[in-house]
Amino acid sequence: MRNDKKASSENYSFIKETIKEQPTDRKRLAGKFLTAAVCGVIFGACAAGTMALIVPKALERFGTAPDQKAVVTLTSSVKAEKVTPTPEATEQEKTSASTAWQNDLSDGMSQIAEEPRRALVRISAAGEDSDLLDDSFLEYGDEEGFVFLKNSEAFYILTVSDQMQEADKFTVTFSDGTVTDGILCKKDLRTGFFVIKVPFTSVDEETQEKIPAAPLVAADDMKQTESVIAIGSPSGDYDSLMGGTITSVTGTLKVADEEYGMLTTDMVGSEEGGGILLNFSGEVAGIIWNQEEDRTNVIRAVETAQLRPLLESMANGEDICYIGIMGATISSYQSENLDVPRGVYVDAVDEDSPAMTAGIQNGDILHALDGQEVQSMEEYASVLQGLNKGTRTTVNVYRKNPFGEYEDVQLKVTIKEK
């Protein structure tokens, strides 16, 4: 038994050995730390270099660097973010925050209006008849306008004037200083609108490229409190710029055979001023109107979305058909609650007009023209402008009889040109 134990002990003699810790090699440890430090420095430098190269490119592609100013484009609405001071802010901090917000808004409006301002022009009008006092052409005013259409052949310019009706010579000065003759496409004596064409053959290639057309808004969707920019001469001084908001969209401009919406703003202008209203996408939302009888200093404008068919017709030199009624649309609500038929209520009839000759009277409700039913001024105007001057056609009106009942009366009217 002892021999077996002895043999076993001899076979596993290593169990009796004592394991001792290896002594620390200080030189080797210092080498490892030095190697790690050098690698860290190298990797840190590579990371910093990579970030220096990649971050500016990424910001350039996906966003603006923090210390760069955002560029305002004309194709998107731009709203400046107002800085609201905390209650603990000092008066100086509050003033600084307010000034910064106003500066941002001012810069934004200037950038939005930059391209449309280049579409502004000056128009001088004269007549063939000479002034007997100095043997010169009679001057009919100096107005401003803007390029609203630019195709492959010419600029088309809109201006508003109550002094140029007799003029037949027009001189156009573009924003780049180019001066040339303009050709009258059409004038609308009801509104005072003039559309003047300048062929590209009259200006050099640089002007053709530099002068843009200010786009008209496509939809009639302006709302109260919406921000707008007035350019032109809203304050009476040429090439000025003002900012404000829409306070009302319910006004109307009534002219013979037409009715247009009016925008009222909170901006104070000049009775002699003019120009256009822009939305924050740089589109023309309104034509500043200063020809109202009861003028005020508040800037009002005719909505351009409703003018598009008229301006297109004028640019093509087409006739402006005329009957001579001043009307208002009878809405479905008014029809139901006032117990009156739908159609166009005749407020007034122009003297010596086709309407007066045909026998149309104040208080009539016009509901059909040339056999087509109309229930609004817009529909009535559309049907009328689709006819030709000299055409003799029918007008249907509802008229009250002595018993207070509406009767359908058919009249004959001859279309004229205004």
Side-chain angles (χ1 to χ4, degrees):
M1 195 73 172
R2 288 183 179 178
N3 293 334
D4 292 339
K5 289 182 179 180
K6 185 177 181 180
S8 177
S9 298
E10 290 176 354
N11 291 337
Y12 301 99
S13 58
F14 65 88
I15 295 177
K16 297 180 180 181
E17 293 180 359
T18 302
I19 299 174
K20 296 183 180 181
E21 294 184 359
Q22 185 177 359
T24 302
D25 190 342
R26 295 182 179 277
K27 291 184 179 181
R28 186 176 179 184
L29 183 62
K32 289 183 178 180
F33 274 115
L34 181 61
T35 302
V38 171
C39 291
V41 171
I42 293 174
F43 283 121
C46 291
T50 302
M51 292 295 289
L53 291 173
I54 293 176
V55 170
K57 296 293 183 181
L59 288 173
E60 181 180 350
R61 180 175 180 181
F62 299 108
T64 305
D67 60 345
Q68 292 178 336
K69 191 171 183 179
V71 177
V72 179
T73 64
L74 299 179
T75 56
S76 60
S77 297
V78 179
K79 295 183 179 179
E81 183 177 353
K82 187 173 181 178
V83 179
T84 304
T86 61
E88 297 78 14
T90 64
E91 287 300 320
Q92 183 177 359
E93 290 172 334
K94 291 179 181 179
T95 301
S96 176
S98 177
T99 301
W101 175 73
Q102 292 176 0
N103 289 340
D104 288 343
L105 182 61
S106 177
D107 291 344
M109 290 193 303
S110 296
Q111 293 183 59
I112 291 169
E114 182 178 355
E115 185 167 353
R117 289 173 81 175
R118 291 192 284 116
L120 297 175
V121 302
R122 298 290 291 178
I123 301 173
S124 299
E128 290 285 1
D129 297 332
S130 61
D131 188 338
L132 298 178
L133 295 178
D134 59 8
D135 196 29
S136 63
F137 288 112
L138 290 174
E139 296 290 335
Y140 288 107
D142 186 19
E143 304 288 357
E144 66 183 353
F146 73 101
V147 178
F148 72 92
L149 174 63
K150 176 183 177 182
N151 59 19
S152 60
E153 298 179 353
F155 295 110
Y156 291 86
I157 299 163
L158 173 65
T159 188
V160 185
S161 177
D162 57 0
Q163 303 176 1
M164 292 168 36
Q165 286 82 353
E166 303 301 323
D168 47 28
K169 289 181 175 295
F170 302 91
T171 302
V172 178
T173 303
F174 289 97
S175 59
D176 67 348
T178 299
V179 180
T180 187
D181 291 334
I183 302 169
L184 178 65
C185 292
K186 201 71 180 176
K187 57 185 173 183
D188 182 2
L189 298 180
R190 307 167 305 165
T191 58
F193 291 156
F194 290 73
V195 172
I196 296 168
K197 178 173 71 173
V198 175
F200 285 166
T201 54
S202 300
V203 297
D204 57 31
E205 291 185 2
E206 185 177 359
T207 298
Q208 296 175 29
E209 295 176 359
K210 288 176 60 177
I211 304 300
L216 307 180
V217 294
D220 178 14
D221 59 359
M222 297 298 290
K223 300 178 179 62
Q224 283 181 301
T225 72
E226 189 167 347
S227 298
V228 288
I229 304 167
I231 63 173
S233 58
S235 63
D237 298 320
Y238 182 65
D239 197 21
S240 54
L241 182 150
M242 301 172 66
T245 58
I246 299 294
T247 60
S248 174
V249 295
T250 58
T252 56
L253 170 66
K254 293 182 181 293
V255 296
D257 305 313
E258 293 276 9
E259 182 182 62
Y260 301 113
M262 293 285 288
L263 302 172
T264 304
T265 74
D266 61 357
M267 293 180 284
V268 177
S270 168
E271 291 185 1
E272 303 301 323
I276 54 180
L277 285 186
L278 305 174
N279 61 20
F280 266 39
S281 292
E283 299 169 320
V284 181
I287 311 298
I288 295 177
W289 191 258
N290 59 6
Q291 300 188 45
E292 296 176 280
E293 293 182 1
D294 300 327
R295 295 184 184 181
T296 65
N297 287 336
V298 175
I299 293 178
R300 284 163 55 83
V302 186
E303 293 192 66
T304 52
Q306 300 176 14
L307 293 175
R308 294 173 72 95
L310 174 64
L311 298 183
E312 181 179 343
S313 174
M314 294 178 69
N316 290 318
E318 298 173 358
D319 295 335
I320 299 175
C321 293
Y322 169 73
I323 290 179
I325 70 166
M326 306 286 283
T329 300
I330 298 176
S331 67
S332 58
Y333 177 84
Q334 292 170 323
S335 177
E336 293 172 3
N337 289 272
L338 300 177
D339 194 24
V340 295
R342 291 292 304 273
V344 174
Y345 183 83
V346 179
D347 286 322
V349 178
D350 287 353
E351 292 186 8
D352 301 323
S353 65
M356 179 172 285
T357 302
I360 299 175
Q361 302 173 7
N362 296 0
D364 285 345
I365 299 175
L366 190 154
H367 67 90
L369 174 62
D370 195 41
Q372 302 181 59
E373 286 291 322
V374 295
Q375 294 189 342
S376 67
M377 278 297 295
E378 184 178 1
E379 291 178 359
Y380 163 73
S382 177
V383 174
L384 176 59
Q385 298 308 322
L387 302 176
N388 297 316
K389 68 176 181 178
T391 301
R392 185 168 177 79
T393 188
T394 58
V395 173
N396 289 79
V397 300
Y398 292 123
R399 180 178 296 170
K400 275 188 176 182
N401 62 24
F403 304 101
E405 299 173 341
Y406 284 100
E407 294 181 348
D408 193 353
V409 178
Q410 187 176 87
L411 305 168
K412 289 289 185 180
V413 65
T414 301
I415 309 299
K416 291 186 177 179
E417 181 185 9
K418 186 62 174 178

